[in-house]
């Protein structure tokens, strides 16, 4: 039976053998073709429920269908058949899985020849005729006080969801087919007025790499100010500001038609965890958008689990999907060195090859930042000649010193409306001095401070739990006693 594995929470398409989502840790659920079929039956059943004499008198187009002894549900099925045929013929091959998908979902018995007969058919900007009838049905329902039933929206959701399941039915994702799918779905959605996702079937809304939440847009100066106000990272801020200045001047020269040598904007961020690499990457994506380098300015963060599949062919699908969601922004790959495994059964090399091709194909609107430990990142770049040529700019993130660790901790306290008593303040300063001097080679920096902060909050809660009539000052003050957790 044809099936797909999706995360219950973020709705990403996963390997069929995965039991939990590698992106968010949530449980997974398996979707069979019957799930899609039930969705379609729900829509057609609801349409039949409105099939009465009042409807026929109020809906001229649907009445004409009936007079010609044409069933509205049949029109919907025929339009969906054309949609699947168009997608299936995008790579000029109709596979057994694709044929089974079409016939099972549409409860039909189409042959390959019937699909190949549509090889010259094109999809234009006008929505399929079934949408016209469902728009009329929606208007009828609204006129008779039935609210916004949204049949046309429900059919759009079917086109969007069914199409994405269909183009991945063979565990392969053809770039051309995926591009045509996205293009047509956007056109189709644009033809619908006041589109709102329907509730039919409670269908998953996305099967894609989760994009970081968009923040309110600010000016270039505000983003630069935010970068320069980050605690520590003095060398990083100097290097990033120099890079931004270089890019700005190149953009001015480009706008004036002045010839300039090619330049790669892809970056290597090296350093220990918790040193602000993701934060800087996110700000850089917004800054590049403001100066016209990137069309969207968003950040997609991923790692090996988001790119590498469990069997031949799946890695390219996963990597291409991440890349598609990153276009117009920055793709940030953490612990990128893990892709360069030398195991014969490892598919990391396939992810690297797919990534390198995309960096060339989309060099005008995609920036890739790879990040990880310095020594391991050198091994990663040396694993493939293409990586060395594309990643020639390096930014090193030093560990935070004791004073910077203290400032990070105080900032966390301020964000939580907490203050320290004097003994507690002295203790924390001395504590971070000791931690910095004895830190390991893979010291977690900001993450270490975050974990320590949460432990202190727990200690404060345990101290206050048995007291009655707590004052605001007691609730908002961390005392020396709360910091003795490390000495227990």
């Amino acid at each position: 039976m044809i099936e797909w594995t999706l995360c219950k929470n973020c709705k990403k398409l996963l390997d069929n053998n995965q039991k939990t989502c590698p992106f968010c840790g949530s449980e997974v659920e398996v979707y069979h073709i019957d799930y899609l079929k039930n969705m379609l039956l729900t829509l057609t059943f609801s349409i039949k429920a409105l099939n009465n004499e009042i409807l026929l008198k109020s809906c001229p187009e649907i009445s004409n269908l009936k007079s010609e002894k044409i069933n509205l549900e049949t029109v919907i099925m025929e339009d969906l058949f054309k949609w699947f045929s168009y997608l299936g013929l995008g790579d000029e091959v109709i596979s057994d899985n694709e044929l089974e998908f079409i016939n099972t979902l549409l409860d039909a018995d189409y042959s390959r020849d019937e699909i190949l007969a549509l090889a010259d058919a094109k999809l234009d900007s006008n929505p399929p005729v079934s949408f016209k009838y469902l728009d009329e049905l929606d208007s009828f329902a609204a006129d008779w006080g039935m609210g916004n039933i949204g049949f046309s929206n429900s059919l759009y959701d079917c086109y969007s969801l069914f199409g994405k399941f269909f183009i991945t039915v063979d565990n392969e994702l053809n770039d051309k087919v995926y591009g045509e799918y996205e293009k047509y779905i956007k056109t189709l959605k644009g033809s619908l007025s006041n589109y709102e996702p329907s509730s039919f079937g409670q269908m998953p809304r996305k099967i894609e790499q989760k994009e970081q939440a968009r923040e309110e847009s600010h000016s270039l100066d505000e983003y630069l100010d935010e970068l320069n106000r980050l605690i520590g990272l003095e060398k990083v801020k100097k290097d990033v500001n120099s890079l931004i200045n270089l890019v700005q001047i190149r953009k001015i020269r480009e706008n004036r038609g002045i010839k300039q040598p090619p330049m790669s904007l892809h970056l290597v961020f090296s350093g220990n965890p918790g040193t602000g690499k993701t934060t800087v990457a996110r700000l850089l994506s917004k800054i590049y958008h403001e100066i016209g380098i990137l069309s969207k300015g968003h950040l997609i963060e991923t790692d090996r689990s988001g790119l590498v599949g469990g069997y031949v062919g799946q890695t390219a699908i996963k990597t291409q999907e991440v890349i598609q969601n990153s276009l117009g922004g920055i793709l940030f790959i953490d612990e990128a060195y893990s892709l360069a495994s030398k195991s014969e059964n490892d598919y990391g090399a396939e992810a690297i090859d797919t990534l390198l091709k995309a960096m060339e194909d989309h060099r005008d609107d995609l920036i890739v930042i790879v990040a990880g430990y310095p020594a391991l990142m050198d091994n990663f770049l040396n694993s493939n000649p293409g990586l060395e040529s594309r990643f020639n700019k390096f930014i090193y993130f030093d560990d935070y010193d004791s004073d910077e660790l203290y400032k990070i901790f105080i900032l966390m306290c301020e964000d939580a409306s907490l203050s320290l008593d004097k003994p507690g303040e002295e203790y924390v300063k001395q504590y971070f001095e000791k931690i910095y001097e004895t830190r390991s080679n893979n010291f977690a920096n900001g993450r270490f401070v975050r974990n320590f902060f949460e432990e202190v909050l727990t200690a404060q809660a345990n101290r206050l739990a048995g007291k009655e009539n707590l004052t605001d000052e007691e609730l908002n003050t961390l005392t020396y006693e709360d910091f003795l957790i490390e000495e227990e």
Side-chain angles (χ1 to χ4, degrees):
M1 177 179 287
I2 300 174
E3 62 183 29
W4 302 261
T5 300
L6 276 73
C7 171
K8 286 185 177 180
N9 177 43
C10 63
K11 302 305 179 187
K12 293 172 187 171
L13 192 62
L14 307 173
D15 299 353
N16 286 345
N17 61 352
Q18 288 179 309
K19 304 302 181 185
T20 59
C21 178
F23 303 99
C24 67
S26 299
E27 294 181 357
V28 303
E29 52 190 337
V30 176
Y31 290 84
H32 302 286
I33 191 73
D34 287 343
Y35 171 78
L36 306 182
K37 189 172 182 178
N38 288 335
M39 281 179 50
L40 187 57
L41 288 174
T42 300
L43 174 60
T44 55
F45 178 82
S46 301
I47 291 170
K48 289 177 182 178
L50 289 181
N51 190 3
N52 54 44
E53 291 301 319
I54 298 177
L55 179 145
L56 294 178
K57 292 179 181 178
S58 304
C59 301
E61 296 289 349
I62 296 178
S63 180
N64 290 336
L65 270 184
K66 293 293 183 181
S67 65
E68 297 174 11
K69 298 183 179 181
I70 299 175
N71 187 292
L72 176 54
E73 297 84 69
T74 301
V75 176
I76 292 173
M77 298 300 183
E78 289 177 350
D79 283 344
L80 280 170
F81 170 67
K82 294 175 184 176
W83 169 229
F84 296 136
S85 298
Y86 176 77
L87 292 175
L89 291 166
D91 59 2
E92 301 179 352
V93 176
I94 297 298
S95 70
D96 290 341
N97 282 342
E98 288 173 335
L99 189 61
E100 181 183 350
F101 180 105
I102 292 172
N103 285 326
T104 303
L105 180 61
L106 304 183
D107 194 20
D109 190 24
Y110 290 108
S111 65
R112 278 189 175 83
D113 289 340
E114 288 175 289
I115 296 174
L116 293 172
L118 297 174
D120 295 328
K122 303 295 181 183
L123 298 177
D124 57 29
S125 58
N126 296 317
V129 67
S130 51
F131 280 88
K132 177 180 69 172
Y133 296 123
L134 294 190
D135 279 337
E136 189 176 43
L137 203 55
D138 288 336
S139 298
F140 165 78
D143 291 342
W144 283 85
M146 300 178 188
N148 182 21
I149 291 181
F151 285 128
S152 57
N153 287 347
S154 299
L155 184 58
Y156 164 80
D157 285 336
C158 288
Y159 269 72
S160 177
L161 185 68
F162 294 175
K164 187 160 279 189
F165 274 114
F166 179 76
I167 61 179
T168 57
V169 72
D170 289 318
N171 289 314
E172 296 179 359
L173 185 61
N174 182 288
D175 278 340
K176 178 185 175 183
V177 175
Y178 185 77
E180 289 297 317
Y181 160 83
E182 281 204 317
K183 179 181 177 182
Y184 184 73
I185 285 298
K186 288 179 181 177
T187 300
L188 190 57
K189 185 175 181 179
S191 69
L192 304 178
S193 58
N194 302 318
Y195 169 73
E196 293 182 3
S198 73
S199 59
F200 283 112
Q202 298 180 349
M203 64 188 73
R205 296 298 170 210
K206 293 184 178 180
I207 311 173
E208 59 189 30
Q209 175 74 15
K210 187 176 180 182
E211 182 177 329
Q212 299 292 334
R214 300 289 181 87
E215 298 178 7
E216 183 181 353
S217 179
H218 298 286
S219 68
L220 174 61
D221 288 341
E222 287 174 315
Y223 287 134
L224 290 171
D225 184 57
E226 186 177 348
L227 170 67
N228 292 319
R229 282 190 289 106
L230 293 175
I231 293 174
L233 306 177
E234 297 308 321
K235 185 177 184 306
V236 171
K237 288 185 280 193
K238 180 180 178 181
D239 290 345
V240 171
N241 275 288
S242 295
L243 180 61
I244 292 168
N245 291 338
L246 175 61
V247 170
Q248 283 184 299
I249 295 301
R250 283 181 60 86
K251 192 67 178 176
I252 293 173
R253 289 170 58 87
E254 178 185 315
N255 292 338
R256 296 184 183 181
I258 301 174
K259 186 178 180 180
Q260 53 193 345
M263 172 183 172
S264 172
L265 295 178
H266 308 297
L267 295 167
V268 178
F269 282 4
S270 61
N272 279 332
T275 46
K277 295 187 287 293
T278 306
T279 300
V280 172
R282 185 174 291 112
L283 282 171
L284 197 56
S285 67
K286 297 172 183 176
I287 291 169
Y288 277 174
H289 172 62
E290 290 300 318
I291 61 181
I293 299 299
L294 295 171
S295 62
K296 296 180 181 178
H298 63 295
L299 179 79
I300 296 292
E301 183 180 359
T302 192
D303 56 16
R304 176 187 168 87
S305 66
L307 301 173
V308 178
Y311 50 84
V312 175
Q314 190 187 34
T315 292
I317 296 173
K318 294 180 71 172
T319 303
Q320 287 168 354
E321 190 169 3
V322 173
I323 290 166
Q324 288 295 325
N325 292 323
S326 304
L327 295 181
I330 288 179
L331 171 57
F332 181 87
I333 305 175
D334 198 16
E335 298 181 349
Y337 49 80
S338 63
L339 296 173
S341 171
K342 295 181 179 180
S343 169
E344 292 183 2
N345 297 322
D346 186 85
Y347 303 114
E350 185 180 358
I352 293 174
D353 291 340
T354 304
L355 183 66
L356 289 173
K357 183 178 184 302
M359 291 166 66
E360 178 62 28
D361 293 344
H362 306 290
R363 59 184 178 274
D364 295 330
D365 204 21
L366 174 67
I367 293 175
V368 178
I369 297 178
V370 291
Y373 296 108
L376 294 175
M377 289 306 295
D378 289 341
N379 295 336
F380 167 69
L381 296 174
N382 292 330
S383 70
N384 187 307
L387 293 172
E388 290 183 287
S389 63
R390 288 173 176 82
F391 292 100
N392 53 20
K393 290 182 176 59
F394 300 78
I395 296 181
Y396 180 73
F397 289 68
D398 286 310
D399 287 339
Y400 292 112
D401 62 27
S402 59
D403 184 54
E404 291 163 349
L405 294 171
Y406 173 76
K407 289 179 179 177
I408 293 171
F409 182 84
I410 294 301
L411 183 61
M412 291 179 180
C413 291
E414 292 174 351
D415 288 342
S417 300
L418 292 167
S419 61
L420 283 65
D421 66 6
K422 283 296 182 182
E425 183 178 325
E426 289 301 318
Y427 177 89
V428 173
K429 288 181 180 179
Q430 295 175 13
Y431 174 73
F432 282 126
E433 287 176 2
K434 181 181 70 173
I435 290 298
Y436 179 72
E437 290 171 359
T438 60
R439 73 191 187 281
S440 63
N441 291 333
N442 58 349
F443 178 53
N445 290 278
R447 296 180 194 175
F448 175 88
V449 179
R450 167 61 64 184
N451 292 336
F452 176 66
F453 176 72
E454 291 176 353
E455 290 174 354
V456 171
L457 285 184
T458 300
Q460 184 213 34
N462 291 335
R463 176 173 58 83
L464 298 177
K467 294 185 178 182
E468 297 180 357
N469 302 319
L470 291 170
T471 65
D472 288 350
E473 183 178 0
E474 288 178 305
L475 290 170
N476 295 331
T477 303
L478 298 176
T479 68
Y480 174 77
E481 183 181 350
D482 300 327
F483 297 102
L484 298 183
I485 48 174
E486 291 297 315
E487 298 181 0
E488 294 179 357

